[in-house]
Amino acid sequence: MMMQILSETNLFDFGLVGRQLPELLKYLPITLELALLSMLIGLAVGLLLAVIRMKRIPVLRQIAAFYISIIRGTPAIVQLYIAYFGIPMLLKYMNLHFGTDFDISAFPGFACAVFAMGFNESAYNAETIRAALSSVDRGQIEAASAVGMTYPQALRRIILPEAMTVALPGLGNSFIGLIKGTSLAFTCAVVEMTAQGKILGGRNYRYFEVYVSLAIIYWAVTIIVERILKFIEKRLELPEQIDKKAAAAEEPEKARTFTKEAKVRYDTNKKPEKAFSQ
Amino acid sequence: MIQIRNLKKRFRNNTVLDGIDLDINEGDVVGIIGPSGTGKSTLLRCIDLLETPEEGEITIDGAVYSLAEHDRRQTLALRRQTGMVFQRFNLFERKTALENVMEGLVTVQKKPKEEARMLAEGELKRVGMYDWSEHYPKHLSGGQQQRVAIARALAMKPKLLLLDEPTSALDPELVGEVLETIRDIASQGFTMMLVSHEMNFVRKVANRVIFLDGGKIVEDGTPREVFDRPKSQRAKDFFAKMHLLKQPEYTI
Ligand SMILES: Nc1ncnc2c1ncn2[C@@H]1O[C@H](COP(=O)(O)OP(=O)(O)OP(=O)(O)O)[C@@H](O)[C@H]1O
Ligand SMILES: [Mg+2]
């Protein structure tokens, strides 16, 4: 009934929603590139900020707090505009002042958008990453120090692998938010999926249909990304149970490496409470 | 030969170590005992620079290290001479037993993977944990975890092995296997400082015992001298409280 009215009155063109999908999907790679590159910046800078705050590095710590406060205190769209107009100005200034030779007209809006969204993301990621880093038991870090590892080594080899499992759900969520946030990139004259949708809508004034198409695509992408994140989470889980080494193959070798004295251990092990109780 | 000189550490207004001097011969197993809160852990942690004391230096094989002032390079240099076994094992949770032991060999000593693996397997065999090479810490009992932690420390070939109450976080039935492992490595000539409340064990495994109290070494001697003929009233009281004298001889 409703369908009939819709199609007879030509109020809502169902077919168009589907027909437009391929045209919009052509721009999905740009959307994903924006999101992925911004996320990379967001992770790298976020980690840096998190370590600065964790280790309470003087001066840098105050700068980090100031930076995070600014980013969190201003709308993303404003940050994008500032990047779009500000970065070329900065380059021009550097050309004039330091005699560098940046081609300002060639500096793409795409890069401005990635910078702006990446730095925006970093301020939010910093907190997630800091919480994850500090969830790693101090004992492991001391143990890493005790074997002679430097802090960067401990961070890379011991702390991050464990913190990652803690941070993953939060970072995953913010990545999903970022994918949808890329629709703001039009501010930097980037034609990504939503911008292309607007262009299509402008051609035939079927704005409603095109936004429905867009909604479907974003939703589908989100579901796929969620699936991927679940998969990664599963991969990061430690196995439930592990087999002992094939005892038969190792037994002779063990016998060789053990001293006579150590063999006594096997007997005493059975009743250690007797052997050692105070 | 290891010499510790004038080690002083306080936390705010609480002086914990009040000028400790200690000479340790190679192959010595020094048992450190004393009342709770007397600074036994702090002593070991200062030697490993997990705490920074106000004063003190340590000489290991002729190389002098300041414990109070050290840049990053000196810190690492000293830590590479020492190994630490913690009360709560502190194994790397996301690494297998084998990887735990290999970690320092690969990351710190920059040994090739294959060589590190062989060495690590050797250390796991030494503590009887080779069969559990592929297990993660969460799959291991406390006693097994501690044996892996001992292997991890030994793999670095430390000149001085520091053990801070290695059995006090263990269920009673798991204490034996760890003590046995320690006794094993003690007999292999490793130089060790062992903090423990297992008095009978200290008596058996250490060739020298120091009794720490009030930031000072109050008793220092062979196990017989310290346990059987303590000079200070503090040590006498402590042993009386531990009912040590009533206990049967430790047997193996
Ligand atoms: N980070 C710290 N800040 C302040 N005081 C500390 C700190 N660490 C240790 N202390 C204090 O130093 C003293 C010595 O502690 P330590 O842990 O070395 O004792 P211990 O001899 O190992 O005791 P236990 O036998 O109970 O393990 C205690 O009074 C403790 O409160
Ligand atoms: Mg202690």
Side-chain angles (χ1 to χ4, degrees), chain A residues 137-154 156-165 235-251 253-254 257-259 261-266 268-269 271-278, chain B residues 45 48 50 72 76 79-80 82-84 86 88-95 103-104 106-108 110 117 121 125-128 130-136 138-139 147 152 156 172-173 175-177 179-181 183-184 187-188 197-201 242 247-248 250-252:
Chain A
D137 172 36
R138 270 208 62 75
Q140 284 184 65
I141 304 171
E142 287 194 341
S145 306
V147 294
M149 289 162 87
T150 61
Y151 184 76
Q153 284 173 337
R156 194 165 49 83
R157 307 273 311 175
I158 310 297
I159 305 172
L160 278 182
E162 194 172 340
M164 205 158 73
T165 60
R235 282 292 299 269
L236 288 176
E237 267 172 30
L238 298 178
E240 274 303 316
Q241 293 177 20
I242 301 219
D243 286 332
K244 267 173 75 171
K245 288 234 177 204
E250 303 304 334
E251 216 50 63
E253 182 147 22
K254 252 172 82 173
T257 51
F258 271 32
T259 58
E261 213 177 356
K263 266 193 188 155
V264 183
R265 168 168 57 216
Y266 284 113
T268 54
N269 255 357
K271 315 169 206 151
E273 59 280 346
K274 251 196 186 160
F276 289 104
S277 64
Q278 293 188 7
Chain B
R45 291 171 60 83
D48 213 20
L50 293 173
R72 189 210 278 265
L76 294 177
R79 282 184 182 154
R80 281 165 202 188
T82 55
M84 184 84 150
F86 299 87
R88 292 185 47 247
F89 336 129
N90 295 350
L91 289 182
F92 307 133
E93 293 295 330
R94 293 196 60 82
K95 295 194 182 292
E103 185 58 35
V106 173
T107 314
V108 178
K110 310 283 182 215
R117 186 189 189 83
E121 286 180 349
K125 283 174 189 162
R126 195 207 292 271
V127 299
Y130 177 71
D131 285 349
W132 282 266
S133 294
E134 304 306 323
H135 287 58
Y136 288 88
K138 70 165 186 174
H139 303 122
R147 282 148 68 193
R152 175 175 68 182
M156 305 301 287
E173 70 270 24
V175 168
E177 65 182 66
L179 293 185
E180 198 43 51
T181 304
R183 208 174 74 105
D184 241 23
S187 70
Q188 292 170 24
H197 287 300
E198 306 274 342
M199 293 302 155
N200 284 320
F201 179 68
M242 305 275 305
Q247 282 168 28
Y250 155 99
T251 48
I252 272 205

Side-chain angles (χ1 to χ4, degrees), chain A residues 225-238:
Chain A
V225 171
E226 275 170 352
R227 279 282 153 83
I228 294 173
L229 286 168
K230 274 267 144 27
F231 175 75
I232 298 175
E233 264 173 60
K234 267 257 141 33
R235 282 292 299 269
L236 288 176
E237 267 172 30
L238 298 178

